[in-house]
Amino acid sequence: KLREIPGVGKAIAEKIDELLQTGKLGFLENLKKEVPESLADWLQVPGLGPKKIALIWKTLNITLLSELEAAAKDGKIRGLPGMGAKSETAILEGIASLSRRSGRLPLGRAYPLAQEIIGQLKKVKGVVAAEPAGSLRRMRSTVGDLDILVAAKDSAAVMDAFVNLKGVSRVLGKGETKASIEFMDGVRAQLWVHAPEKFGTALQYATGSKDHNVALRQIALDKGLSLSEHSLTKTKGKGEILCATEEEVYKTLGLPWIPPELREDHGEVVAAKANKLPKLIQVKDIKTNLHAHSTHSDGKLSMLDMARAAAKRGLKVIAFTDHSVGLGVANGLSMERHKEQAAEIKKIQKQLGDEILVLHATEVEIKADGSLDYPDDFLASLDLVVASLHSSLRQPREKVTERLLKAVQNPHVDIIGHPTGREIPDREGADLDMEVILKAAAESGVAMEISAQPSRLDLDDMYARRAKELGVLLSINTDAHSENDLDMLHYGVAIARRAWLEPKDIINTWTAKKLTDWLKKRG
Ligand code: DGT
Ligand code: CA
Ligand code: ZN
């Protein structure tokens, strides 16, 4: 019957038959004798295909990824037909990006995956609660693995559901209340099941960070208590306190509940003791989107549709920051085309009324020499200017810092977009002297962006927190190219929370009036 399937001929049918009968495939075994299996790893290196791999393997007689890397470093690839010094650099960069990729998982991938898993686990009978924990709950921009906590009286059913999730390739461990799995793409997830009356201590423990937990355990000890995953117990005599919620854990230790994004032992325990925790920014505080694209450059929606989508999400202002002329790949606008855009904004503003205010803006390229892609008088004529680095990111530290400084100090620039230019997980940001940049930003009054695009999250929390300390304003934007992108805002807000930012630190919390007054003053 196999041969009735379109595309399955005699050869394939025979192979399937052989696999089913013997569990082996002679054809594959022969191939494995001909071609070393480790060469398959090379295929993961971006830019390396079977032909080049065969050439390198047969001429240099190497088969391991580590040997390939060494050969590229020693300049042994450039002598091969069709290869040059550039190929060697490309191979080395490809291998470097591979090792980054196989390391930590971007939050933008981990978060939706965890939501999906949690949704599945919540359907299991007897599950009272299911929550993310670990670095995922603390919303780090990358996570090592997914930690998920479930409250249930009986663990068996939920453990089974977990190891049988769609896409699981390996079960790394499965006990009574703890299991660990690996998905096809190498992502790992852990499940911990606890009784509902102990869920508070369990969630607190598993959320971490490790350093935060160490600090809490010390506070517990000072109070004559020992804090564990299961409970708080008296160190002298008998007595056990069970906590169903995290609030009870912190309260028992004499502390207010600490938001997970702060739990890095970066001063939050001291602040909590003194009742001086920041009033962290929330998604609902954000009233404007000051970095968005339309079909005028590389966005997917017309300005009208995009503005409506933003208004639907409660935003009061949207700035269209389509790309500037030099970014040809993104259909950057000439000054001539800006006239059309200005006319269209006038028209759609009438249609939109006071639903949302549309600003005529630009995302202007910071060119390799530090100059901007439009002349100053043109920038002055726009409502708002975002300046961003998209090219020549690998310039030496001094040069690229100097280049960004020029943009920071240009009085017409209002926001520096995704300042380091990093892309998670493949591309590291420019080698900037951020301390110098942030001090200059404090002086010039330019706002530094926290890009909410999950592939950017740039500035990241450490820099954003330093920015606040130095008195720099921040701006959280989605850099939206589609309607869906508008829903990525919460990632940017999470990074801002990790940076201890409050509504007053972020220009997107301002009213339309306050914002436009600020923009006019800046010129
Ligand atoms: P990751 O996965 O590398 O991004 O980082 P985490 O923070 O998720 O760490 P992970 O997955 O090793 O452990 C999950 C949580 O378990 C962690 O946030 C806190 C808790 N934990 C792990 N090891 C220890 C430990 O040695 N002591 C304490 N107190 N807690 C720990
Ligand atoms: Ca983890
Ligand atoms: Zn952009």
Side-chain angles (χ1 to χ4, degrees), residues 104 134-135 138 143-145 147 192 205-208 210 213 217:
R104 299 179 67 81
S135 52
R138 303 197 310 279
V143 306
D145 63 356
D147 302 291
W192 298 338
Y205 175 87
T207 299
K210 206 170 144 189
N213 289 357
R217 277 204 298 268

Side-chain angles (χ1 to χ4, degrees), residues 230-245:
H230 301 287
S231 64
L232 286 143
T233 48
K234 293 208 170 115
T235 40
K236 283 189 196 122
K238 273 191 188 165
E240 186 178 31
I241 307 165
L242 300 183
C243 300
T245 67

Side-chain angles (χ1 to χ4, degrees), residues 178 192 194 198-203 205-206 227-231:
K178 196 174 162 184
W192 298 338
H194 288 270
K198 296 178 170 183
F199 194 60
T201 36
L203 184 60
Y205 175 87
L227 172 61
S228 81
E229 196 176 352
H230 301 287
S231 64

Side-chain angles (χ1 to χ4, degrees), residues 1-165:
K1 279 200 171 170
L2 268 178
R3 307 229 351 222
E4 289 166 20
I5 303 170
V8 177
K10 183 163 172 271
I12 290 182
E14 274 176 11
K15 289 192 180 77
I16 294 176
D17 205 38
E18 185 190 338
L19 260 176
L20 289 176
Q21 304 272 353
T22 67
K24 272 197 192 133
L25 192 57
F27 178 70
L28 180 64
E29 297 306 315
N30 285 337
L31 277 181
K32 281 182 179 170
K33 271 181 218 145
E34 254 174 67
V35 183
E37 249 185 296
S38 60
L39 287 178
D41 298 343
W42 295 21
L43 277 172
Q44 305 295 319
V45 179
L48 266 191
K51 271 193 191 147
K52 276 190 196 168
I53 292 176
L55 177 72
I56 298 172
W57 158 48
K58 289 185 174 153
T59 346
L60 300 179
N61 200 17
I62 54 175
T63 57
L64 299 175
L65 196 63
S66 54
E67 292 171 325
L68 175 67
E69 188 173 6
K73 273 191 189 144
D74 296 345
K76 287 184 182 152
I77 308 270
R78 65 185 69 181
L80 306 185
M83 306 267 206
K86 266 201 175 161
S87 328
E88 286 170 352
T89 317
I91 288 172
L92 290 174
E93 272 172 8
I95 293 175
S97 86
L98 256 193
S99 61
R100 273 202 297 280
R101 210 177 305 168
S102 55
R104 299 179 67 81
L105 188 68
L107 181 63
R109 272 189 61 213
Y111 187 87
L113 177 61
Q115 293 304 318
E116 165 69 27
I117 296 174
I118 285 171
Q120 295 296 327
L121 298 181
K122 277 186 174 163
K123 285 190 208 154
V124 179
K125 220 178 130 207
V127 169
V128 180
E131 298 283 344
S135 52
L136 178 71
R137 182 158 179 250
R138 303 197 310 279
M139 297 294 271
R140 279 191 64 178
S141 53
T142 63
V143 306
D145 63 356
L146 311 184
D147 302 291
I148 292 170
L149 240 73
V150 160
K153 273 213 175 66
D154 179 19
S155 63
V158 64
M159 300 288 285
D160 283 341
F162 184 68
V163 298
N164 287 307
L165 283 168

